[in-house]
Amino acid sequence: MESPKFTRQQEDFECLHCGATVHGNGYTNHCPRCLWSRHVDVRPGDRASDCDGAMEPVGALYEGGRTVVVQRCQRCGHSWRNKTAPNDSRTAVLDLFGRVVEDPRG
């Protein structure tokens, strides 16, 4: 079965954790200031999750020349990986390194 194609949607939002106004670019899925997000997707961009819980950044991984933030939903425990964006807080990302975190891919 083929997975649905990602649909880019520009969405602005207010961060539920720190209150920052975030201007989305169609790929934005977390707050660049605190790295928190909301559990709204089953697959990236589909907005099909009915959980709507807060996704806490719990760790960071460096792989293939990219930094990835691992988040865990505070409501249902779902884990997710997000690539960092150029405008993400460098301090917030660096603070996540060194934490022991399981890769959600298994």
Side-chain angles (χ1 to χ4, degrees), residues 7-12 23-28 47:
T7 302
R8 183 178 178 200
Q9 298 179 55
Q10 277 192 267
E11 300 169 306
D12 295 341
H23 299 286
N25 65 8
Y27 299 104
T28 307
R47 303 302 186 256

Side-chain angles (χ1 to χ4, degrees), residues 53-69:
M55 297 287 287
E56 177 184 8
V58 294
L61 308 169
Y62 187 77
E63 59 188 26
R66 294 283 324 237
T67 303
V68 176
V69 172

Side-chain angles (χ1 to χ4, degrees), residues 19-51:
T21 299
V22 180
H23 299 286
N25 65 8
Y27 299 104
T28 307
N29 59 7
H30 61 271
C31 174
R33 188 163 89 184
C34 68
L35 308 177
W36 284 66
S37 67
R38 186 177 294 256
H39 187 186
V40 295
D41 293 342
V42 173
R43 290 190 174 85
D46 67 7
R47 303 302 186 256
S49 174
D50 57 4
C51 176

